């Protein structure tokens, strides 16, 4: 019922910035908690950031707090992840996800997932 498409990944030097976008289908976007996760080779998918339905509350992994910002535009059915001061260890495939849960969750138990977009940070 929900399709998610990420874009904006690419290659960037350490210290640089990227903005990821996730476009969602349907007219019920505002009913979903939205999250960003990432997965590096050989590692489990890990939580990066999440945002409440209205966008008023955001949650971040400690590793990205102060550097990444999650936001959403419900009128455009889009969620964003602004990534600043990128580090080599941020290199991963980044996934957008949607959850119908009633509270924000940080585990990778979301209902819908995008295909992922590669972010590579070079030194």
């Amino acid at each position: 019922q929900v399709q998610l498409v990420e874009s904006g990944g690419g290659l960037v030097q350490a210290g640089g910035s990227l903005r990821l976008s996730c476009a969602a289908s349907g007219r019920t976007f505002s009913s979903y908690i939205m999250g960003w996760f990432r997965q590096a080779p050989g590692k489990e998918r890990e939580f990066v950031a999440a945002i409440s339905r209205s966008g008023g509350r955001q949650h971040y992994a400690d590793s990205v707090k102060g550097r990444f910002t999650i936001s959403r535009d419900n009128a455009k059915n889009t969620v964003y992840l602004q990534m600043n001061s990128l580090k080599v260890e941020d290199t991963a495939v980044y996934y957008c996800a949607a959850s119908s849960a009633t509270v924000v969750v940080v585990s990778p138990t979301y209902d819908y997932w995008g295909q992922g977009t590669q972010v590579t940070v070079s030194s």
Side-chain angles (χ1 to χ4, degrees), residues 2-20:
V2 177
Q3 289 79 45
L4 305 172
V5 180
E6 303 97 333
S7 62
L11 176 65
V12 64
Q13 291 185 339
S17 298
L18 283 174
R19 188 178 76 156
L20 306 183

Side-chain angles (χ1 to χ4, degrees), residues 94-108:
Y94 283 71
Y95 297 90
C96 174
S99 174
S100 59
T102 57
V103 296
V104 173
V105 295
V106 300
S107 59

